Amino acid sequence: MPTLYHHPMSSASRFVRLILTEYNYQVDLIEEQPWEKRRDFLALNPAGTLPVYVDDSMRALCGATVISEYLDETHGVLKRDRRLLAEDPFQRAEIRRLTEWFLVKMEQDVTRPLARERAFKLQMTADQGGGAPDSKVLRTARANIRQHMKYITWLAGSRQWLAGERMSYADLAAAAALSVLDYLGEIDWNESPIAKDWYQRVKSRPSFRPLLNDRVRGLTPVSHYADLDF
Amino acid sequence: MPTLYHHPMSSASRFVRLILTEYNYQVDLIEEQPWEKRRDFLALNPAGTLPVYVDDSMRALCGATVISEYLDETHGVLKRDRRLLAEDPFQRAEIRRLTEWFLVKMEQDVTRPLARERAFKLQMTADQGGGAPDSKVLRTARANIRQHMKYITWLAGSRQWLAGERMSYADLAAAAALSVLDYLGEIDWNESPIAKDWYQRVKSRPSFRPLLNDRVRGLTPVSHYADLDF
């Protein structure tokens, strides 16, 4: 069976797990702490980033973009109206733009700093950069959340799903990132009812259940984290 | 005619220009200073990043990944052995992994900090963050160049082209990034003869000529920059 190296607080890992489950594709999950820079892991992915997908012939695919494009080419293309990338090149471009927005821009602005300061540093040794959260980093990241929630509100308010008429990679990428932030209790859903309504639809999908069962050692999720009626 | 918003010191912009010229695809070039955060530009790309491609119907494609996938789907697919992405999904994954390596990882480690400190800051006002280069940032970025040159040397030494038997997006992405660094005189080619040999092959292509004619106001390129026999 193929293997996915992931971390529960990595939004890119969660994104790929959602795709795999949406396509009913079974993989073994291995939790990786990328800051340990394990030699065997770096041999699979010299960039040292998550997720990494290793197929039965031990060929490695590195990173959410590479894996999601591969899964579209080998699985999505057969799924007809359950395909998570569109047929039309311009519609595909819009899905890719938003996927990158959530997994690169929102990741830099919000998700990675908060996950790092509040979750990863708990698991890191002092040598690896562990320790108490940097309050300045937390403050900046939290100030950025609102802008991203506004953008999601605008998208969810003007379209059926974030990139158009059908659920796509864009929704899974956004929900993956939000689910990390929600675990950490960083989202005030009362402020964003339209975004909440959209998130509730994605969160209720069977593919989301494994994510709601994730737990990080030493860090309890916010009480409504796994609640479908939050 | 479609339009490409670009900047001569943006490796992602150079990458897309190379693809367009390789495919003999004519566009109007508009030089954009993304740090100005022009309202009309942000309306095209809310992320405010380069490059942005606008087609004849005024539809915008944002970012090198989105544009390059679109160009593959609408042009590359017809080019047979001149196609810059492979047919095989695993080979495509390897091309995408390396393209991301050069346009995301090397960009963060080396290209963006050096371009920002040495070129963009010359053009920025004080309010925009302009001013003298930060010597600490320069030092860190320069220390990272060597690792990336080693990786290119390893790839170029063990394969015909960086991702395999044919020239691909991976070569154009790497050469786009190196050409920015070379403009700035940041590469010691004597240290990396194998990488130099590979770069010379890409640099000699007709598609590279427009890049070699690029000039940034107030910043003369290193003397061998446009020299094919450097």
Side-chain angles (χ1 to χ4, degrees):
Chain A
M1 200 184 289
T3 302
L4 187 76
Y5 291 83
H6 81 113
H7 190 283
M9 289 288 104
S10 142
S11 47
S13 301
R14 287 184 164 225
F15 168 63
V16 169
R17 287 165 67 198
L18 287 171
I19 300 171
L20 291 166
T21 320
E22 283 289 334
Y23 287 161
N24 295 317
Y25 196 76
Q26 301 276 319
V27 297
D28 279 328
L29 289 176
I30 296 185
E31 190 175 321
E32 181 71 28
Q33 329 282 346
W35 54 85
E36 290 179 356
K37 301 190 177 163
R38 280 198 309 121
R39 216 186 167 80
D40 290 353
F41 181 64
L42 291 178
L44 292 172
N45 181 11
T49 50
L50 287 173
V52 175
Y53 169 100
V54 181
D55 81 349
D56 291 327
S57 317
M58 287 303 289
R59 295 185 294 190
L61 297 177
C62 305
T65 310
V66 166
I67 299 170
S68 64
E69 294 288 345
Y70 174 82
L71 290 174
D72 181 64
E73 289 165 2
T74 54
H75 291 77
V77 78
L78 311 167
K79 298 290 179 184
R80 297 167 172 270
D81 56 350
R82 287 181 47 235
R83 186 174 183 180
L84 296 162
L85 253 180
E87 309 286 325
D88 172 67
F90 251 98
Q91 184 55 30
R92 293 165 70 81
E94 177 64 357
I95 294 170
R96 288 189 180 112
R97 178 182 77 84
L98 289 172
T99 303
E100 194 175 314
W101 180 281
F102 296 112
L103 296 186
V104 179
K105 184 168 171 52
M106 184 170 157
E107 180 78 9
Q108 281 172 359
D109 295 349
V110 179
T111 328
R112 193 187 308 148
L114 287 173
R116 185 183 157 84
E117 295 301 323
R118 296 203 41 214
F120 300 160
K121 276 181 154 187
L122 284 177
Q123 306 192 323
M124 291 172 172
T125 64
D127 281 356
Q128 291 162 343
D134 181 329
S135 58
K136 199 176 148 201
V137 174
L138 292 180
R139 216 165 29 242
T140 310
R142 282 172 179 156
N144 289 332
I145 291 181
R146 194 163 295 182
Q147 283 308 102
H148 284 281
M149 293 306 287
K150 270 193 194 161
Y151 194 45
I152 293 172
T153 296
W154 181 80
L155 292 168
S158 50
R159 300 166 170 181
Q160 182 69 15
W161 296 89
L162 297 191
E165 309 231 313
R166 268 170 30 196
M167 191 182 76
S168 74
Y169 279 173
D171 299 279
L172 301 188
L178 285 189
S179 71
V180 169
L181 296 172
D182 196 37
Y183 185 105
L184 299 168
E186 295 286 355
I187 296 179
D188 180 352
W189 291 108
N190 291 327
E191 268 194 1
S192 311
I194 295 172
K196 179 181 174 178
D197 179 73
W198 157 84
Y199 183 64
Q200 207 156 22
R201 274 189 283 150
V202 186
K203 189 178 176 181
S204 305
R205 296 186 72 81
S207 65
F208 225 80
R209 251 174 250 154
L211 273 56
L212 300 179
N213 292 326
D214 276 355
R215 291 298 176 272
V216 179
R217 193 158 33 91
L219 191 67
T220 313
V222 78
S223 60
H224 66 253
Y225 171 66
D227 193 348
L228 295 184
D229 192 23
F230 54 106
Chain B
M1 198 184 292
T3 302
L4 187 76
Y5 292 82
H6 81 113
H7 190 283
M9 289 288 104
S10 142
S11 47
S13 302
R14 287 184 163 223
F15 168 63
V16 169
R17 286 165 67 199
L18 287 171
I19 301 171
L20 290 165
T21 321
E22 283 289 333
Y23 287 160
N24 296 316
Y25 196 77
Q26 302 275 320
V27 297
D28 280 329
L29 289 176
I30 296 184
E31 189 174 321
E32 181 71 29
Q33 329 282 344
W35 54 85
E36 290 178 355
K37 300 190 176 166
R38 280 198 309 121
R39 218 187 165 78
D40 289 354
F41 181 64
L42 291 178
L44 292 173
N45 181 12
T49 51
L50 289 173
V52 174
Y53 170 101
V54 181
D55 80 349
D56 291 327
S57 316
M58 286 302 289
R59 294 185 295 190
L61 296 178
C62 306
T65 308
V66 166
I67 300 171
S68 64
E69 293 288 343
Y70 174 82
L71 291 174
D72 181 63
E73 289 165 3
T74 54
H75 290 77
V77 78
L78 311 166
K79 299 290 179 184
R80 296 166 172 271
D81 56 349
R82 287 179 48 235
R83 186 175 183 180
L84 296 162
L85 252 181
E87 309 287 325
D88 172 67
F90 251 97
Q91 185 56 29
R92 293 164 70 82
E94 177 63 357
I95 294 170
R96 287 188 180 114
R97 178 182 76 85
L98 290 172
T99 303
E100 196 175 313
W101 180 281
F102 296 113
L103 297 185
V104 179
K105 184 168 172 52
M106 185 170 157
E107 180 79 8
Q108 280 171 0
D109 295 349
V110 179
T111 328
R112 193 186 308 147
L114 288 174
R116 185 183 157 84
E117 296 301 323
R118 296 203 43 213
F120 300 160
K121 276 181 153 186
L122 284 177
Q123 306 191 323
M124 291 172 172
T125 64
D127 280 356
Q128 292 163 343
D134 180 328
S135 58
K136 199 177 147 200
V137 175
L138 292 181
R139 217 165 29 242
T140 309
R142 282 172 179 156
N144 290 332
I145 291 182
R146 194 162 295 180
Q147 283 308 101
H148 284 282
M149 292 306 286
K150 269 192 194 164
Y151 194 45
I152 293 171
T153 297
W154 181 81
L155 292 167
S158 50
R159 299 166 171 181
Q160 182 71 14
W161 295 89
L162 296 192
E165 309 232 312
R166 269 170 29 195
M167 191 180 76
S168 74
Y169 280 172
D171 299 279
L172 301 188
L178 285 189
S179 71
V180 169
L181 297 172
D182 196 37
Y183 186 104
L184 298 169
E186 294 286 355
I187 296 179
D188 181 351
W189 291 108
N190 292 326
E191 268 194 1
S192 311
I194 296 173
K196 180 182 174 178
D197 180 72
W198 158 83
Y199 183 63
Q200 207 157 22
R201 275 188 284 150
V202 187
K203 189 177 177 181
S204 305
R205 297 186 71 83
S207 64
F208 225 81
R209 250 173 251 153
L211 273 56
L212 300 179
N213 292 328
D214 276 354
R215 289 298 176 272
V216 179
R217 194 158 33 90
L219 191 67
T220 314
V222 77
S223 60
H224 65 253
Y225 172 65
D227 194 347
L228 294 184
D229 192 21
F230 55 107

